[in-house]
Amino acid sequence: MNLDKVNKYIQDFEKTIKKPKTNFDKSKFYVGIDLGTANIVITILDKGGKPVAGATQRSRVVRDGIVVDFMGAIAIVRKLKEGLEEKLGIKITEGYTAIPPGVEQGSIKAIVNVIEAAGIDVLKVVDEPTAASYVLGITDGVVVDLGGGTTGISILEKGKVIFVADEPTGGTHMTLVLAGSYGIDFEAAEDIKTDKKKEKEVFIQITPVLQKMASIVKKYIKDYKVKDVFLVGGACSFDGSESIFERELGLNIYKPYMPVYITPLGIALVGIKDKIF
């Protein structure tokens, strides 16, 4: 993996969230819709895979790949879709999505139904580790997705996912720790968790959650010969989170810039991979 190249790609995408690119071939583009536990993200790439635009909104309508507020999820996806259509002068009619490891068939259908009810035909559903690997440019190693609700572990070998596991420890648990510590409600704690000015203070308090995540990964990969671990997902965004994994696992740990955007970007890249292969 070329970390500098990956970081530049994510930085380019981050810029398009605030200032979308309107000068691109509007006859062909790729759309990714990520229904995450903490955020819903839509990404748009041009026909060459370069970021064009993105939109994101915090939400609690999906938990660990399960839609818990069907109408709320549809409303958010439709709102983000229509906002991007207006900014770019396009119609978004089809796209791709992804699901966490171990999600049941019924939950997959519910996710697809949400997106299609918002007016976007789902062309393909992939697993999140495979989507992440497209952005990271890797074929071997362990992709650890520290999401809102769970820690997902996926081992890749020669470009194929050979093992997956998922346990309920994620960013939500960090928020609950903060809510208890400060004596505030969940949403207020979520605001504190995502406040960069409070990051050092927050990191001290959520370190035990990160340590538990690292121990979960260690448990599942102990019987596999792996040397590289790639951290993605919003719950590893804190400076220093990678050092906790380094101490626990004793392996090469890689964490890209803004790891929360890795999977959403990878979902849109699915369309290009399909085109190539």
Side-chain angles (χ1 to χ4, degrees):
M1 179 186 72
N2 185 327
L3 190 58
D4 289 340
K5 186 177 179 180
V6 172
N7 289 345
K8 176 67 166 54
Y9 188 68
I10 300 169
Q11 287 166 354
D12 288 346
F13 170 68
E14 188 179 35
K15 291 175 184 175
T16 69
I17 295 176
K18 295 180 179 178
K19 188 177 181 181
K21 296 178 180 178
T22 56
N23 185 22
F24 67 100
D25 184 352
K26 297 178 183 179
S27 67
K28 189 62 179 177
F29 52 88
Y30 299 93
V31 180
I33 306 98
D34 184 13
L35 271 61
T37 299
N39 302 280
I40 291 178
V41 185
I42 296 182
T43 54
I44 301 179
L45 309 178
D46 68 16
K47 63 182 181 181
K50 295 180 180 179
V52 168
T56 179
Q57 181 172 321
R58 184 195 294 179
S59 75
R60 297 182 67 192
V61 297
V62 178
R63 293 179 190 169
D64 315 331
I66 299 173
V67 180
V68 295
D69 179 357
F70 195 78
M71 297 309 295
I74 294 170
I76 293 173
V77 174
R78 184 181 290 122
K79 174 187 171 185
L80 296 179
K81 167 185 175 289
E82 291 175 351
L84 288 167
E85 288 176 331
E86 184 177 349
K87 291 176 182 176
L88 299 174
I90 60 174
K91 284 294 181 183
I92 298 172
T93 58
E94 58 185 32
Y96 301 83
T97 193
I99 44 101
V103 172
E104 295 180 356
Q105 191 63 37
S107 295
I108 296 173
K109 191 173 187 302
I111 288 171
V112 171
N113 287 344
V114 164
I115 296 169
E116 295 195 335
I120 305 173
D121 291 334
V122 177
L123 300 178
K124 188 174 182 178
V125 181
V126 298
D127 59 276
E128 291 179 351
T130 298
S133 73
Y134 292 161
V135 179
L136 298 171
I138 61 170
T139 56
D140 299 273
V142 183
V143 176
V144 178
D145 189 345
L146 306 180
T150 64
T151 297
I153 303 103
S154 305
I155 300 177
L156 284 84
E157 189 175 282
K158 297 179 180 179
K160 301 292 184 182
V161 177
I162 63 168
F163 173 83
V164 297
D166 205 39
E167 283 207 15
T169 301
T172 297
H173 300 79
M174 295 176 176
T175 306
L176 291 171
V177 167
L178 295 172
S181 175
Y182 292 108
I184 54 179
D185 65 25
F186 186 92
E187 291 301 326
E190 188 73 15
D191 289 337
I192 290 175
K193 187 181 74 174
T194 55
D195 185 348
K196 293 298 289 184
K197 294 178 182 178
K198 297 182 180 293
E199 184 169 351
K200 290 184 179 179
E201 177 185 332
V202 167
F203 185 74
I204 294 171
Q205 298 183 72
I206 56 91
T207 288
V209 181
L210 284 165
Q211 290 171 332
K212 182 179 180 182
M213 291 171 165
S215 68
I216 289 170
V217 176
K218 186 175 183 179
K219 176 179 70 174
Y220 282 111
I221 69 172
K222 62 182 177 63
D223 295 327
Y224 293 86
K225 292 181 179 180
V226 295
K227 60 180 181 178
D228 297 322
V229 176
F230 304 89
L231 303 181
V232 303
C236 68
S237 297
F238 299 94
D239 289 339
S241 56
E242 59 271 34
S243 63
I244 292 175
F245 282 81
E246 286 172 356
R247 288 195 296 270
E248 182 71 24
L249 303 179
L251 299 171
N252 300 323
I253 307 296
Y254 301 94
K255 188 185 80 171
Y257 172 77
M258 291 298 287
V260 69
Y261 292 138
I262 292 288
T263 298
L265 281 166
I267 294 171
L269 281 173
V270 169
I272 295 174
K273 290 290 181 178
D274 278 353
K275 181 182 176 183
I276 294 172
F277 299 110

